[in-house]
Each structure stands twice: as C-alpha cells, then as structure tokens.
Amino acid sequence: MPALEALIERKLQQLSVPLAVRLPSGRQLGPPDARVTIAFKDMGALAPLASARLGRLGDEIVRGRARIEGSMRDLMRIVAALVPSDGQPIQPKPWQRLLYHVHSLLRHSRDRDARQIRAHYDVSDEFYALWLDPRRVYSCAYFAEPQMTLAQAQEAKLDLICRKLDLRPGERFVDIGAGWGGLLLHAARHYGVDATGITLSQNQFDHVGRIIAEEGLGDRVRIRLCDYRDLVPDQPFDKLASVGMFEHVGRARMGTYCDTLRRLLRPGGLALNHGIAASGLDDAMVGGGLGDFIEKYIFPGGELVHVSQAIRSLSQSGLEMVDTENLRPHYARTLWAWSDALEAQLPEAEQVLARSMPPDRAAEVLQAYRLYLAGCALAFEQGWVALYQILLIHPDPALATPDLPGAQSAYPFRRDHVYR
C-alpha cells in the first residue's frame, strides 16, 4: 500500500512530537530517535492512524494488531499533537439528539445498569488493588498540598467531602455508589455518622461487608446491593454524597436521578454530587472516537453532560446549588498516578487478570486499561472533560441560620467550615 505509507510518512513529518511507525515488513517510518514506536502486525491497522481516528487505533492496539513501544506518557504527548486543542467537539444535529435520547433510555434500565456496572467494577478486585491507593478510592483525589502522595490526596478528598457536607455525629448519611467503601467508612470512623452505602457491584459489596464485620461497625454502617432508584429508607437522610456515580446515570435518566437525590434527602439537608462532566455544551462530545473507545472497552453505558446541564437538572428537581468546585487538574494528576502504577507492574497485572478470565481476554483488558487511564489523564489535562463537586441543599423555608434568615438549610453560606 504505497499510498497509505506515503500518507503516514507525511503525517509523521507534520507531528510536533516525534513518532515512529514499524510496518509489518519491518520497515520503519519516522525519525530514528523517536521515543515512541507503534509496531503494526497488519497493514490494515494503519488506516486509523492515517485518518487520526484514535478510537479505532485503540481498537487495533487492544486486539493485538498494533503494539506500543515506549511510555504511555510519551504516547499521550503524541495523541495531544494529533488532536486539535479543543478535543474536536462534535455537535449533534437535532435528529441525533433524539436518537441519543432513545438510546440512553434503552440502555439505562435497572437490569442493564447492573450488568454495565459489573462489567467494569467486577473485572478483578486484585487488579484494581495493584494501581489504586490502599483504600481503593476510584475517583478524583484532592492534592491539597503539592507534595502529597496519591494515598494522602485521596484521604484529603474524602475529608473535603465530609467537611463540605458538614457531617456531624449521629447524622444519617448515605453514599450513592459507594465503591470499595472509602468515603462510607471514612465518614463513619472520623465523623461519627450513621452511614448507608449502595453499590451494584457484587465484588464491592462483598469487600465493604467484610471490612464492616472486621471492624465491628455493623451497628452504624451498612452496605446494600441495590439500584439507586430502589433505595427506600425509613426516613430521608440528613446528608448525601454521590461520588463517581453521576457518569453512569445516562442523559435520559438525569431527571430520575436528581428526583431520587431530592427524595432521599430531608428538607434542610445537604447533598454533594462529585462527577465527570463534558466540556462541550448541548451534548457535544470529544471527537476522534475517544468516547466510543471508553464506551466499548471500559464504561459501557457511560454518558456525560455539561455542568450547566447538571445544575439545571438538579434545580428542576427542587435542589438548590450552593457551591460548585472544578477539580479537573486534580483528576489529571490522579489518573497519571494510576497509569504510572499500572505501567510499573504490567506482567503482574496480566497474571492477575488471567486468574479470572481467559489469557487472550486478560491481554485485551490490560491494553484497554493502559490506554484508558493515560488517555483520560490527557483528556483532563487538556480540558476535554472536567470534574465538578456540586454542593446542594433541599430547601426548607422554616430553617435559618442565626444571622441569615433565608438560609433554608444547615448550610452556613460561608466556606470557613470547609477550609479551616
């Protein structure tokens, strides 16, 4: 395919970051001093690189038809050079929005949500333990001090959430999408709350249940295996957190999700929604096939909305936004820490995965996660996606602070309690 080779050579010459390509014949294109080489086993796998369809190129790498030689950090510098600075946002047409809405409704039934969550989180607890912090906190850390380790930054994030919610001993607290229990247990241990967590992952449910039993916390901490829509407490909760759950809800179910948060929260109570948001307005998504790659291999059913759409939906449900913070660069640093940890132990990671799935599948999953972690780190660095903590109240006109009669909640409308 002389024409394809010539096209690849021209593209390599245009890149600001050196990249080499090794053809199936062994011939190498590009500068000899390139820090990253992509070795192709099949000429057909070259087409996505020629057209900058990065999601399709990721497919070829996961399927073993192309191989990365070099570090993921260097590879992502090349990806950044291939993709325009705005991440190629794709603005859907009106008919496409309708199609997206119908598609979102169909793929976010209770049964499908459960299968989609388990497809990701039940891959292997051992695998996640290799590259997450010891608490297995699988969400954006908060690097309150520049020199913090990942574990310290995750603890800082857990504490930041608890302080924003102004948790008090004895309060009824619920964690929607509790993961491996990091926030649930931190809130119970350090703030004395009566804590309930829910998850759809059997592995996570079992893990948190063991810790609750081992630490004798069963009288005030519980984990439930259920859908957020099916949680019906005896009485509404005083405080609520939803961390990393928002992304799995689906655009078409956003109203249901927000209504559920309001239903679960007593009047005057506080809720914190911590989730990834799209950078593009009106359902515009990152182009180049990056979103499609993550949908296919990592987060089936994952859908992002812009923060303005999130706040609109929450407001329509009767919740009032009282504080919003963008932690986008913190998530970039978090993801690079995860990526670096995984890259440092690739053989062990593949062995761990092979204990729970066929070897060929384990190799594919490992390649997909390598690209996902580094690719998401790049996306947050570049501003293609963002991470917001939205603090909300369920207004109660009867409530007031001593000096602010219109507070309608326990929220003091000052940040002293968060940062002191």
Side-chain angles (χ1 to χ4, degrees):
M1 300 181 182
L4 181 58
E5 291 183 27
L7 179 59
I8 293 290
E9 281 196 291
R10 285 198 300 272
K11 184 167 285 291
L12 294 178
Q13 290 167 2
Q14 293 167 0
L15 283 177
S16 57
V17 181
L19 169 67
V21 167
R22 185 176 305 119
L23 303 177
S25 64
R27 181 185 171 210
Q28 186 150 316
L29 309 178
D33 60 343
R35 297 178 66 173
V36 175
T37 298
I38 304 180
F40 289 88
K41 294 182 178 179
D42 187 306
M43 286 298 291
L46 277 164
L49 177 61
S51 56
R53 289 177 294 167
L54 301 178
R56 290 287 303 278
L57 180 59
D59 277 339
E60 303 295 355
I61 293 169
V62 169
R63 292 161 58 195
R65 284 157 49 95
R67 187 181 72 255
I68 304 161
E69 297 176 3
S71 76
M72 296 305 292
R73 284 182 177 264
D74 286 334
L75 177 65
M76 289 306 135
R77 290 174 61 232
I78 292 164
V79 171
L82 285 167
V83 178
S85 60
D86 60 0
Q88 292 179 313
I90 299 172
Q91 197 74 37
K93 295 178 174 59
W95 66 268
Q96 288 176 312
R97 287 202 186 94
L98 177 61
L99 187 63
Y100 292 163
H101 183 79
V102 173
H103 185 50
S104 181
L105 278 173
L106 293 174
R107 67 178 178 178
H108 286 287
S109 66
R110 283 166 171 79
D111 287 345
R112 287 199 67 173
D113 275 347
R115 290 198 303 271
Q116 288 166 170
I117 290 297
R118 289 166 188 162
H120 181 82
Y121 292 99
D122 288 352
V123 165
S124 163
D125 272 12
E126 286 183 275
F127 175 65
Y128 284 107
L130 286 176
W131 46 273
L132 294 177
D133 69 294
R135 294 181 184 82
R136 297 187 197 173
V137 181
Y138 192 26
S139 54
C140 174
Y142 179 62
F143 292 87
E145 301 291 341
Q147 72 279 7
M148 279 183 166
T149 64
L150 175 63
Q152 291 169 333
Q154 288 293 13
E155 184 173 4
K157 185 270 298 296
L158 299 178
D159 214 55
L160 178 65
I161 292 172
C162 292
R163 293 199 311 275
K164 284 187 175 184
L165 287 170
D166 197 19
L167 293 183
R168 305 294 178 91
E171 287 185 327
R172 301 179 71 253
F173 168 68
V174 62
D175 185 3
I176 307 296
W180 284 278
L183 176 60
L184 184 75
L185 296 164
H186 185 87
R189 291 165 180 153
H190 299 284
Y191 288 84
V193 296
D194 182 275
T196 299
I198 65 170
T199 180
L200 287 173
S201 162
Q202 184 68 51
N203 284 8
Q204 292 178 341
F205 173 79
D206 294 340
H207 177 81
V208 179
R210 282 194 299 270
I211 295 176
I212 291 171
E214 289 167 2
E215 297 191 12
L217 295 171
D219 59 330
R220 58 189 180 91
V221 184
R222 62 207 60 84
I223 185 74
R224 295 181 180 175
L225 190 67
C226 76
D227 189 282
Y228 72 95
R229 290 162 285 197
D230 296 329
L231 180 61
V232 183
D234 296 334
Q235 56 182 308
F237 294 94
D238 300 301
K239 306 287 173 65
L240 178 152
S242 175
V243 180
M245 159 69 189
F246 182 66
E247 304 90 317
H248 300 289
V249 169
R251 296 187 196 94
R253 303 291 184 185
M254 199 57 63
T256 301
Y257 170 76
C258 296
D259 288 345
T260 300
L261 297 192
R262 184 179 184 275
R263 172 178 63 80
L264 292 173
L265 189 64
R266 69 164 174 81
L270 276 70
L272 186 137
N273 188 87
H274 169 121
I276 300 171
S279 62
L281 289 163
D282 301 321
D283 298 334
M285 299 301 289
V286 176
L290 299 177
D292 293 337
F293 177 85
I294 291 176
E295 157 79 17
K296 180 177 180 178
Y297 290 104
I298 306 297
F299 285 118
E303 297 176 45
L304 304 182
V305 299
H306 191 265
V307 64
S308 63
Q309 295 169 299
I311 293 173
R312 177 184 176 88
S313 295
L314 291 161
S315 300
Q316 287 174 331
S317 294
L319 298 170
E320 180 183 357
M321 188 275 289
V322 294
D323 193 79
T324 298
E325 185 173 10
N326 187 347
L327 299 181
R328 179 181 59 77
H330 290 269
Y331 213 173
R333 184 170 169 183
T334 303
L335 281 152
W336 276 128
W338 291 342
S339 176
D340 291 344
L342 179 58
E343 292 299 306
Q345 45 197 337
L346 292 176
E348 184 178 356
E350 189 163 355
Q351 290 172 12
V352 164
L353 288 168
R355 287 200 281 270
S356 60
M357 60 187 72
D360 289 350
R361 173 65 178 151
E364 289 187 354
V365 168
L366 180 57
Q367 293 305 318
Y369 270 75
R370 293 181 70 200
L371 293 170
Y372 145 65
L373 292 175
C376 285
L378 174 69
F380 281 98
E381 270 187 355
Q382 298 289 321
W384 300 340
V385 285
L387 186 287
Y388 290 92
Q389 288 189 345
I390 304 173
L391 188 63
L392 306 139
I393 62 171
H394 182 172
D396 182 355
L399 292 179
T401 58
D403 61 332
L404 295 173
Q408 299 190 28
S409 71
Y411 182 67
F413 285 87
R414 299 181 180 90
R415 287 178 167 177
D416 302 16
H417 67 293
V418 178
Y419 295 109
R420 65 169 173 254

